[in-house]
């Protein structure tokens, strides 16, 4: 809900349109904050309910690390989708282009995050070959998730949108 909530704020409170860098940065920030909050809340509840040994400092650092990568993919999503749709690509081409582009942005965020954050966050491992593999795997999963959000645009080639009846947001659907 971080990206969607921040898109509403960007448009309704700040007057940014989806074609602007300000909109992209606002939604990226919302995505990153949503990941940070969600990760930290999840582990806080888990610690309280089932596992008191969970180190919340570690989970806060991990949430910040993952949130910084989500900022990257969340910022890229709207401009990337706008560009791919503007090129009159098929729904599937926009879907797979978004998967690749946002997956790469998330991966770049993880690798840069490891490089920078490992210097002052004790629970963030510096870049290694082993965490490169796990970072790449997670980035493929995140990229695929972002691709499915392309299906929310019920106005773009609705006859090709195989997700329209599952996640399509049609006129009249409430913002949240």
């Amino acid at each position: 809900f971080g990206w969607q909530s921040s898109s509403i704020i960007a448009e309704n409170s700040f007057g940014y349109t989806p074609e602007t860098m300000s909109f992209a940065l606002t939604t990226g920030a919302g995505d990153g904050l949503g990941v940070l909050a969600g990760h930290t809340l999840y582990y806080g509840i888990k610690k309280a309910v089932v596992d008191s040994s969970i180190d919340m400092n570690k989970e806060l650092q991990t949430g910040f690390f993952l949130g910084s990568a989500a900022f990257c993919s969340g910022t890229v999503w709207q401009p990337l989708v706008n560009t791919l749709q503007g090129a009159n690509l098929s729904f599937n081409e926009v879907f797979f282009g978004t998967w690749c582009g946002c997956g790469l942005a998330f991966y770049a965020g993880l690798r840069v995050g490891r490089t920078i954050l490992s210097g002052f966050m004790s629970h963030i491992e510096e870049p290694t070959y082993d965490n490169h593999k796990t970072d790449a795997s997670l980035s493929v999963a995140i990229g695929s998730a972002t691709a499915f959000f392309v299906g929310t645009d019920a106005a773009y080639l609705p006859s090709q949108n195989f997700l329209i009846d599952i996640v399509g947001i049609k006129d009249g659907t409430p913002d949240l």
Side-chain angles (χ1 to χ4, degrees):
F1 289 98
W3 192 98
Q4 180 66 20
S5 298
S6 63
S7 76
I8 294 165
I9 292 167
E11 282 192 278
N12 297 344
S13 297
F14 299 145
Y16 302 148
T17 61
E19 299 79 29
T20 64
M21 183 56 71
S22 296
F23 181 92
L25 290 169
T26 302
T27 54
D31 205 23
L33 289 172
V35 168
L36 168 61
H39 181 87
T40 306
L41 181 64
Y42 172 80
Y43 279 97
I45 292 169
K46 186 175 179 182
K47 178 181 177 90
V49 175
V50 295
D51 186 359
S52 62
S53 70
I54 291 174
D55 180 348
M56 288 307 296
N57 185 43
K58 175 185 178 201
E59 297 310 331
L60 180 62
Q61 288 182 21
T62 300
F64 187 84
F65 167 62
L66 295 172
S68 66
F71 168 79
C72 296
S73 58
T75 298
V76 164
W77 191 90
Q78 190 69 59
L80 179 60
V81 170
N82 290 348
T83 300
L84 296 172
Q85 289 180 344
N88 295 315
L89 298 178
S90 71
F91 177 83
N92 286 340
E93 290 169 324
V94 174
F95 180 90
F96 286 111
T98 302
W99 184 335
C100 293
C102 287
L104 286 171
F106 191 84
Y107 177 76
L110 290 175
R111 300 313 284 174
V112 170
R114 286 190 184 285
T115 301
I116 295 170
L117 299 176
S118 64
F120 61 92
M121 289 186 166
S122 61
H123 297 289
I124 305 303
E125 187 179 26
E126 66 183 13
T128 65
Y129 178 71
D130 283 339
N131 62 36
H132 147 76
K133 293 184 289 185
T134 56
D135 288 353
S137 296
L138 179 58
S139 298
V140 168
I142 294 299
S144 69
T146 66
F148 275 83
F149 282 102
V150 173
T152 63
D153 186 354
Y156 186 73
L157 302 175
S159 64
Q160 295 178 18
N161 184 344
F162 64 93
L163 297 167
I164 198 165
D165 293 325
I166 301 167
V167 296
I169 300 174
K170 300 173 182 158
D171 288 340
T173 304
D175 289 339
L176 282 180

